Amino acid sequence: MTRVAQSDPDSLEHVAGKVEVLHDHFKDAKSKMTGIAGQNPFGDIRHPDNRPGEHPSEAAVTTLHSFRDRMHGQFDAAAELMKSTGGALREAARALRETEEAAKDSLTVKDGSLQV
């Protein structure tokens, strides 16, 4: 016997709420990833042979800022995905409710009335 998965609008909306909370979690996590604030913590890193050019500690700070910026982009993308997924689930719940209402109004089948 094959079981057909059934969806009900209330369950879809419940799941949509759970997914939308993930949106908020991604935004909170993004705000906690700040990178380097204040004085350069790598200030005493030196080239071993005193080469000219960008100081290694500045390169480390630049790298960390680039990493932070890329991660912020990832958190933003994930948050938007959760937001759109929640919206799609709510839209599916609305469509199910409309379909159920339309079916109630358009057809009534009584036991045995369609037997050949």
Side-chain angles (χ1 to χ4, degrees):
M1 178 177 172
T2 304
R3 295 191 89 175
V4 177
Q6 294 189 6
S7 299
D8 68 277
D10 292 335
S11 293
L12 286 174
E13 286 187 347
H14 175 75
V15 172
K18 296 287 188 182
V19 168
E20 289 164 348
V21 166
L22 292 175
H23 168 271
D24 298 334
H25 289 308
F26 279 115
K27 290 294 187 182
D28 289 343
K30 174 189 170 187
S31 70
K32 292 176 184 175
M33 184 177 279
T34 59
I36 296 174
Q39 188 175 0
N40 180 348
F42 305 109
D44 52 343
I45 297 175
R46 307 257 186 265
H47 281 295
D49 54 1
N50 293 320
R51 289 181 296 172
E54 185 177 23
H55 199 275
S57 65
E58 292 304 317
V61 170
T62 301
T63 300
L64 287 172
H65 283 300
S66 295
F67 175 77
R68 180 208 55 210
D69 292 345
R70 287 191 309 272
M71 288 306 298
H72 278 190
Q74 294 297 317
F75 280 112
D76 286 340
E80 288 306 308
L81 181 60
M82 294 303 105
K83 185 177 178 181
S84 63
T85 300
L89 288 167
R90 290 188 188 284
E91 185 64 26
R94 183 192 61 73
L96 277 173
R97 282 193 177 95
E98 289 176 0
T99 301
E100 288 173 356
E101 286 302 313
K104 286 179 190 175
D105 292 339
S106 61
L107 180 65
T108 302
V109 177
K110 297 183 181 179
D111 290 342
S113 64
L114 294 178
Q115 290 181 350
V116 178

